[in-house]
Amino acid sequence: MPRPHSRRRLVVAVMTALLLGAAGAPAAQAQDEEPTNLITNGDFASGTTGWWSTANLTGAVADGEWCLDVPGGTLNAWDAIVGQNDLPLAAGESYELRFTARASADLSVRALVQRDVDPWPTAIEEFPALSAEAQSFSYAFTASADWTDAQLAFQIGRHAEPWQFCLSEVQLLTGAEPPVYEPDTGPRVRVNQVAYFPDAPKRATLVTDATDPVPWQLNDAAGTLVAEGDSEPYGDESTSGESVHVIDFSAATATGEGFTITADGETSYPFAIGGNAYGDLAVDAMSFYYPQRSGIAIDDAIAPGYGREAGHVDAAPNQGDGAVPCYADACDYTLDVTGGWYDAGDHGKYVVNGGISVAQLMSVYERALHAPTGDAGRLADGSLRVPEHGDGVPDVLDEARWEVEFLLSMQVPAGEELAGMAHHKIHDEKWTGLPLLPADDPQPRYLQPPSTAATLNLAAAAAQAARLFAPYDAAFAAECLEAAETAWEAALAHPDVYAPETSPDGGGPYGDSDVADEFYWAATELFLTTGTKSYEEYVLGSKLHDADSFGAGAFHWGSVAALAKLDLALVPNALPGRDEVVAQVITGADNYLELQAASPWGLSYGSSGTFDWGSNSAVLNELVVVATAFDLTGETQYRDGVLTGLDYIMGRNALGNSYVTGYGSHDSRNMHSRWYANQLDPSLPNPPAGTLAGGPNSVTATWDPVAQRWLGGCAPQRCYIDDIGSWATNELTINWNAPLAQIANFAADQSPSVSASPSCKGEYKINGQWPGGFNAQITVTNTGDEALEGLTLRWALPTGQSIEHSWSVKLVQQGHTVTATELAGGSALKPGRTFTFGLIGVKDARTAVAPASIACMAD
């Protein structure tokens, strides 16, 4: 279960970024000179001389305080501003911004020191929370460039009701102590703060300068000693910048809640051993997508605390997604692109990122069909927090459909130039500020030009949807397949229409000028769905088919070849040389396990010393490869590798932080988002439980102002801050939550609380086939020592197959899943004995293939 939130603490030099007492606090000064106040008339002794305000503000100065009446109904913070211009800043120098402020209502405002020229570079951005009582604030920062024209701005718009803002004692002082960010890393014993499995590796990492082994103790919730031992020194570790030891308590078999490890005078955060925490996380990670939906009101009864009006449905102030034109009049049509998921913390919707995200979400279901430990029943109708309960469709597919339908809507209509291709994205004309609910977004919205990458994302995702929806909605499945094949042909006709690396204002670029991997992925999904020879030939002929596709991070929106190979390996198909693809996946997983074993954090990612933007998704995507290797081989080291890698995400890391909201004692909760913006507006929620933070980002060229201000010189694992302004380290996105959903579901399927399969082995053999049909024989053998009563078998029929009739068994097909009962008239299967039954099946034009696995269950 998610644990209670702990309070996030930041300790900053000179009380930087902390609310001070009413009298304020002096900053430390250079020893040989007095600070200079760069603000003119900051005490308002000369009225408002030196100050300016937007025309919609009126007010007066009294007793050294300037009070202004702020109109209601403004949508952006910058719709009402008080400021002062032409302030000189020197690169490398540190400054302290001080002011006292109050408000007639409890709310937050935006305080900035910036340049008043596009793109408005920022030296400092803060969001002080005001109340009726005057409070003093102090913020220190270091200038990164020489500016002669810096601007101090208090942006005070965005609030629905009129209110009064009062400002006094404003100073911008030179000679401040440079700000220092000291994150709260908690106990030096770093653990998975959620749960370990009783029969899997259980390790912790101790941060210590000790050179010799350190004794450790594992205690239960009552403080009783459960296990003890000595740590294994590792020494200096470059990704964390720490000296560390490894504590291995894998031999402990006790189960329960509230365990802790004590070592070197420190006691870890509590954790569970056993239980079904990952079952809860699987539900939360998939239910994350419902509040991300565009074009529908979010029902608070379904997602408590997250109810809101529908966004972008042509209701003012939205300009809506019902008839969106092309940017810069690049086309003469409009498209209804209502629906889909908001990509991240903004209001944009992107085909490229949406394609991989929905594919990975659908793969949660597809793995459940074909993996030996998969459990499609856990994903059934009614399993998630979505509004489509009662339709008989697995909830994860209902959620995926919301995005797939959006992808289809982005296709260029027939008869138009570039017909069949997909528009790359749709987003606002200009970036909006935080916070801003989707229904309050006033910006015009535009379709950005089509791209080959987006078109192939549409083809791949729609092809996968076609095979998964076929048993539930044949008409929708046919629509998806038609759109996928149309997109494929359009991409072949226009193979080099690339999205630019830069983007118009209002949205991210998602530029990609190498689409060989998108062609390979789309051909793979079309082959798996149709079996058509031309797609098979494209897959086999791709330069990527025999290449190593499993490097650092495995795959992402701009590199999807590995994603194709995972599906070729796991989804039943008759591709010539498929065993070679399986071998590639296993080799990739072995490489990740080798890197993981060398890390004192159990981390396969980051050995190069670089943690990219969204590094947590890279960690998880590598684990998806390792999980697939387990599904293909059943070898325990791959399962254990997945669980060990998950430890890092859940708190066994340099910051002692769980990167999943609602899980662990010290968790991320201030992700960059316009509507999960509790840090800026207490009336708004934090992200829902099960939301993944992007994670450490050591690529300084991509840093936002918050990261630039606080994270300079950070070791790679420490290049993270749980601040809503840090989109470079702390954004939430649909493509980052997708691998979390995959790995959480994998872990849930391995949970010791899930009943183990009995000792039996099923074998499925196709004896013969003909146009339109096939004959199969299934045998099941009791490999254990006890008779199996009430034996039930379950498997997923590969795409294009269904059952016509059977003998010596009762077969029921629901969706993709076939359930076999009453084997041999319901008799018990004795040890060492075998039951055999058969069936006649119906198939499409492709060669019939056997299911990937058969699950056994007994009373």
mmCIF file of all heavy atoms in Angstrom, residues 218-248:
data_model
loop_
_atom_site.group_PDB
_atom_site.id
_atom_site.type_symbol
_atom_site.label_atom_id
_atom_site.label_comp_id
_atom_site.label_asym_id
_atom_site.label_seq_id
_atom_site.Cartn_x
_atom_site.Cartn_y
_atom_site.Cartn_z
ATOM 1 N N LEU A 218 18.950 -6.151 11.049
ATOM 2 C CA LEU A 218 17.595 -6.054 10.493
ATOM 3 C C LEU A 218 16.611 -6.286 11.621
ATOM 4 O O LEU A 218 16.653 -7.339 12.284
ATOM 5 C CB LEU A 218 17.392 -7.099 9.385
ATOM 6 C CG LEU A 218 15.974 -7.238 8.833
ATOM 7 C CD1 LEU A 218 15.563 -5.987 8.047
ATOM 8 C CD2 LEU A 218 15.856 -8.478 7.936
ATOM 9 N N ASN A 219 15.743 -5.309 11.878
ATOM 10 C CA ASN A 219 14.755 -5.413 12.947
ATOM 11 C C ASN A 219 13.351 -5.333 12.378
ATOM 12 O O ASN A 219 13.107 -4.645 11.364
ATOM 13 C CB ASN A 219 14.953 -4.285 13.961
ATOM 14 C CG ASN A 219 16.284 -4.391 14.681
ATOM 15 O OD1 ASN A 219 16.492 -5.293 15.485
ATOM 16 N ND2 ASN A 219 17.192 -3.468 14.389
ATOM 17 N N ASP A 220 12.428 -6.022 13.027
ATOM 18 C CA ASP A 220 11.034 -5.939 12.591
ATOM 19 C C ASP A 220 10.376 -4.713 13.209
ATOM 20 O O ASP A 220 11.018 -3.915 13.907
ATOM 21 C CB ASP A 220 10.274 -7.221 12.909
ATOM 22 C CG ASP A 220 10.159 -7.514 14.399
ATOM 23 O OD1 ASP A 220 10.373 -6.593 15.232
ATOM 24 O OD2 ASP A 220 9.836 -8.667 14.742
ATOM 25 N N ALA A 221 9.069 -4.560 12.966
ATOM 26 C CA ALA A 221 8.365 -3.358 13.413
ATOM 27 C C ALA A 221 8.357 -3.209 14.925
ATOM 28 O O ALA A 221 8.268 -2.096 15.450
ATOM 29 C CB ALA A 221 6.934 -3.367 12.871
ATOM 30 N N ALA A 222 8.487 -4.319 15.633
ATOM 31 C CA ALA A 222 8.508 -4.281 17.095
ATOM 32 C C ALA A 222 9.905 -4.049 17.643
ATOM 33 O O ALA A 222 10.097 -3.980 18.861
ATOM 34 C CB ALA A 222 7.941 -5.584 17.657
ATOM 35 N N GLY A 223 10.900 -3.942 16.755
ATOM 36 C CA GLY A 223 12.271 -3.738 17.191
ATOM 37 C C GLY A 223 13.023 -5.017 17.467
ATOM 38 O O GLY A 223 14.163 -4.993 17.947
ATOM 39 N N THR A 224 12.421 -6.145 17.173
ATOM 40 C CA THR A 224 13.052 -7.437 17.414
ATOM 41 C C THR A 224 14.083 -7.732 16.333
ATOM 42 O O THR A 224 13.813 -7.551 15.139
ATOM 43 C CB THR A 224 11.994 -8.558 17.426
ATOM 44 O OG1 THR A 224 11.029 -8.253 18.437
ATOM 45 C CG2 THR A 224 12.633 -9.909 17.710
ATOM 46 N N LEU A 225 15.249 -8.194 16.726
ATOM 47 C CA LEU A 225 16.301 -8.528 15.774
ATOM 48 C C LEU A 225 15.886 -9.727 14.927
ATOM 49 O O LEU A 225 15.509 -10.766 15.458
ATOM 50 C CB LEU A 225 17.604 -8.836 16.518
ATOM 51 C CG LEU A 225 18.813 -9.176 15.635
ATOM 52 C CD1 LEU A 225 19.228 -7.965 14.808
ATOM 53 C CD2 LEU A 225 19.977 -9.670 16.493
ATOM 54 N N VAL A 226 15.962 -9.560 13.621
ATOM 55 C CA VAL A 226 15.580 -10.609 12.687
ATOM 56 C C VAL A 226 16.798 -11.216 12.009
ATOM 57 O O VAL A 226 16.869 -12.423 11.784
ATOM 58 C CB VAL A 226 14.602 -10.051 11.620
ATOM 59 C CG1 VAL A 226 14.311 -11.087 10.547
ATOM 60 C CG2 VAL A 226 13.315 -9.573 12.268
ATOM 61 N N ALA A 227 17.767 -10.386 11.674
ATOM 62 C CA ALA A 227 18.980 -10.862 11.018
ATOM 63 C C ALA A 227 20.079 -9.846 11.254
ATOM 64 O O ALA A 227 19.826 -8.679 11.581
ATOM 65 C CB ALA A 227 18.738 -11.068 9.521
ATOM 66 N N GLU A 228 21.327 -10.284 11.105
ATOM 67 C CA GLU A 228 22.453 -9.382 11.260
ATOM 68 C C GLU A 228 23.627 -9.875 10.435
ATOM 69 O O GLU A 228 23.647 -11.020 9.976
ATOM 70 C CB GLU A 228 22.855 -9.252 12.727
ATOM 71 C CG GLU A 228 23.226 -10.561 13.398
ATOM 72 C CD GLU A 228 23.474 -10.379 14.881
ATOM 73 O OE1 GLU A 228 23.808 -9.248 15.290
ATOM 74 O OE2 GLU A 228 23.343 -11.362 15.633
ATOM 75 N N GLY A 229 24.584 -8.994 10.228
ATOM 76 C CA GLY A 229 25.752 -9.349 9.443
ATOM 77 C C GLY A 229 26.673 -8.156 9.321
ATOM 78 O O GLY A 229 26.560 -7.177 10.065
ATOM 79 N N ASP A 230 27.592 -8.243 8.366
ATOM 80 C CA ASP A 230 28.536 -7.168 8.121
ATOM 81 C C ASP A 230 28.397 -6.688 6.687
ATOM 82 O O ASP A 230 28.153 -7.484 5.760
ATOM 83 C CB ASP A 230 29.972 -7.642 8.352
ATOM 84 C CG ASP A 230 30.263 -7.932 9.817
ATOM 85 O OD1 ASP A 230 29.688 -7.233 10.680
ATOM 86 O OD2 ASP A 230 31.044 -8.854 10.098
ATOM 87 N N SER A 231 28.581 -5.380 6.502
ATOM 88 C CA SER A 231 28.489 -4.792 5.169
ATOM 89 C C SER A 231 29.716 -5.154 4.336
ATOM 90 O O SER A 231 30.757 -5.565 4.854
ATOM 91 C CB SER A 231 28.377 -3.271 5.276
ATOM 92 O OG SER A 231 29.584 -2.724 5.803
ATOM 93 N N GLU A 232 29.587 -4.976 3.037
ATOM 94 C CA GLU A 232 30.692 -5.183 2.107
ATOM 95 C C GLU A 232 31.157 -3.827 1.595
ATOM 96 O O GLU A 232 30.425 -3.168 0.847
ATOM 97 C CB GLU A 232 30.255 -6.062 0.933
ATOM 98 C CG GLU A 232 31.354 -6.296 -0.088
ATOM 99 C CD GLU A 232 30.879 -7.121 -1.273
ATOM 100 O OE1 GLU A 232 29.773 -7.703 -1.184
ATOM 101 O OE2 GLU A 232 31.603 -7.165 -2.284
ATOM 102 N N PRO A 233 32.339 -3.364 1.959
ATOM 103 C CA PRO A 233 32.805 -2.050 1.490
ATOM 104 C C PRO A 233 32.954 -2.015 -0.028
ATOM 105 O O PRO A 233 33.443 -2.976 -0.639
ATOM 106 C CB PRO A 233 34.165 -1.886 2.182
ATOM 107 C CG PRO A 233 34.119 -2.812 3.349
ATOM 108 C CD PRO A 233 33.289 -3.974 2.913
ATOM 109 N N TYR A 234 32.530 -0.916 -0.592
ATOM 110 C CA TYR A 234 32.706 -0.683 -2.028
ATOM 111 C C TYR A 234 33.694 0.443 -2.277
ATOM 112 O O TYR A 234 34.524 0.376 -3.178
ATOM 113 C CB TYR A 234 31.359 -0.337 -2.673
ATOM 114 C CG TYR A 234 31.452 -0.072 -4.164
ATOM 115 C CD1 TYR A 234 31.248 -1.106 -5.077
ATOM 116 C CD2 TYR A 234 31.730 1.203 -4.655
ATOM 117 C CE1 TYR A 234 31.348 -0.876 -6.442
ATOM 118 C CE2 TYR A 234 31.833 1.444 -6.019
ATOM 119 C CZ TYR A 234 31.628 0.402 -6.912
ATOM 120 O OH TYR A 234 31.734 0.635 -8.264
ATOM 121 N N GLY A 235 33.614 1.484 -1.489
ATOM 122 C CA GLY A 235 34.500 2.631 -1.650
ATOM 123 C C GLY A 235 33.827 3.755 -2.400
ATOM 124 O O GLY A 235 32.596 3.853 -2.467
ATOM 125 N N ASP A 236 34.624 4.623 -2.993
ATOM 126 C CA ASP A 236 34.097 5.785 -3.699
ATOM 127 C C ASP A 236 33.317 5.348 -4.935
ATOM 128 O O ASP A 236 33.773 4.494 -5.707
ATOM 129 C CB ASP A 236 35.240 6.709 -4.112
ATOM 130 C CG ASP A 236 35.929 7.355 -2.920
ATOM 131 O OD1 ASP A 236 35.306 7.410 -1.842
ATOM 132 O OD2 ASP A 236 37.094 7.774 -3.062
ATOM 133 N N GLU A 237 32.173 5.981 -5.120
ATOM 134 C CA GLU A 237 31.294 5.618 -6.243
ATOM 135 C C GLU A 237 30.971 6.882 -7.010
ATOM 136 O O GLU A 237 30.469 7.858 -6.438
ATOM 137 C CB GLU A 237 30.035 4.945 -5.707
ATOM 138 C CG GLU A 237 29.248 4.165 -6.737
ATOM 139 C CD GLU A 237 28.398 5.071 -7.616
ATOM 140 O OE1 GLU A 237 27.795 6.010 -7.061
ATOM 141 O OE2 GLU A 237 28.314 4.810 -8.846
ATOM 142 N N SER A 238 31.252 6.902 -8.304
ATOM 143 C CA SER A 238 31.264 8.155 -9.060
ATOM 144 C C SER A 238 29.876 8.717 -9.342
ATOM 145 O O SER A 238 29.701 9.937 -9.346
ATOM 146 C CB SER A 238 32.004 7.949 -10.387
ATOM 147 O OG SER A 238 31.384 6.942 -11.170
ATOM 148 N N THR A 239 28.862 7.879 -9.589
ATOM 149 C CA THR A 239 27.557 8.444 -9.964
ATOM 150 C C THR A 239 26.877 9.134 -8.799
ATOM 151 O O THR A 239 26.045 10.023 -8.995
ATOM 152 C CB THR A 239 26.615 7.365 -10.532
ATOM 153 O OG1 THR A 239 26.212 6.464 -9.495
ATOM 154 C CG2 THR A 239 27.270 6.607 -11.667
ATOM 155 N N SER A 240 27.234 8.746 -7.582
ATOM 156 C CA SER A 240 26.634 9.360 -6.391
ATOM 157 C C SER A 240 27.553 10.364 -5.727
ATOM 158 O O SER A 240 27.100 11.187 -4.921
ATOM 159 C CB SER A 240 26.271 8.279 -5.371
ATOM 160 O OG SER A 240 27.443 7.584 -4.939
ATOM 161 N N GLY A 241 28.857 10.276 -6.015
ATOM 162 C CA GLY A 241 29.809 11.124 -5.321
ATOM 163 C C GLY A 241 29.981 10.739 -3.867
ATOM 164 O O GLY A 241 30.408 11.555 -3.048
ATOM 165 N N GLU A 242 29.663 9.492 -3.532
ATOM 166 C CA GLU A 242 29.701 9.031 -2.145
ATOM 167 C C GLU A 242 30.637 7.830 -2.006
ATOM 168 O O GLU A 242 30.902 7.105 -2.978
ATOM 169 C CB GLU A 242 28.292 8.600 -1.690
ATOM 170 C CG GLU A 242 27.220 9.645 -1.842
ATOM 171 C CD GLU A 242 27.191 10.658 -0.714
ATOM 172 O OE1 GLU A 242 28.161 10.699 0.067
ATOM 173 O OE2 GLU A 242 26.209 11.403 -0.617
ATOM 174 N N SER A 243 31.089 7.598 -0.789
ATOM 175 C CA SER A 243 31.749 6.354 -0.427
ATOM 176 C C SER A 243 30.696 5.448 0.189
ATOM 177 O O SER A 243 29.959 5.871 1.096
ATOM 178 C CB SER A 243 32.881 6.608 0.572
ATOM 179 O OG SER A 243 33.480 5.381 0.965
ATOM 180 N N VAL A 244 30.591 4.210 -0.282
ATOM 181 C CA VAL A 244 29.442 3.377 0.084
ATOM 182 C C VAL A 244 29.858 1.943 0.400
ATOM 183 O O VAL A 244 30.922 1.480 0.000
ATOM 184 C CB VAL A 244 28.379 3.368 -1.034
ATOM 185 C CG1 VAL A 244 27.848 4.758 -1.290
ATOM 186 C CG2 VAL A 244 28.938 2.772 -2.328
ATOM 187 N N HIS A 245 28.987 1.271 1.129
ATOM 188 C CA HIS A 245 29.048 -0.170 1.359
ATOM 189 C C HIS A 245 27.734 -0.774 0.862
ATOM 190 O O HIS A 245 26.714 -0.075 0.754
ATOM 191 C CB HIS A 245 29.177 -0.498 2.844
ATOM 192 C CG HIS A 245 30.469 -0.097 3.466
ATOM 193 N ND1 HIS A 245 30.934 -0.673 4.633
ATOM 194 C CD2 HIS A 245 31.418 0.817 3.114
ATOM 195 C CE1 HIS A 245 32.089 -0.122 4.978
ATOM 196 N NE2 HIS A 245 32.397 0.797 4.072
ATOM 197 N N VAL A 246 27.738 -2.089 0.637
ATOM 198 C CA VAL A 246 26.520 -2.823 0.291
ATOM 199 C C VAL A 246 26.149 -3.722 1.465
ATOM 200 O O VAL A 246 27.006 -4.407 2.036
ATOM 201 C CB VAL A 246 26.708 -3.663 -0.990
ATOM 202 C CG1 VAL A 246 25.474 -4.529 -1.251
ATOM 203 C CG2 VAL A 246 26.986 -2.756 -2.179
ATOM 204 N N ILE A 247 24.879 -3.704 1.826
ATOM 205 C CA ILE A 247 24.331 -4.574 2.862
ATOM 206 C C ILE A 247 23.423 -5.587 2.178
ATOM 207 O O ILE A 247 22.456 -5.214 1.513
ATOM 208 C CB ILE A 247 23.536 -3.763 3.907
ATOM 209 C CG1 ILE A 247 24.478 -2.826 4.673
ATOM 210 C CG2 ILE A 247 22.787 -4.689 4.860
ATOM 211 C CD1 ILE A 247 23.762 -1.849 5.576
ATOM 212 N N ASP A 248 23.742 -6.852 2.323
ATOM 213 C CA ASP A 248 22.961 -7.923 1.693
ATOM 214 C C ASP A 248 22.250 -8.713 2.782
ATOM 215 O O ASP A 248 22.876 -9.418 3.579
ATOM 216 C CB ASP A 248 23.881 -8.837 0.882
ATOM 217 C CG ASP A 248 23.115 -9.820 -0.001
ATOM 218 O OD1 ASP A 248 21.932 -10.098 0.305
ATOM 219 O OD2 ASP A 248 23.690 -10.294 -0.999
#
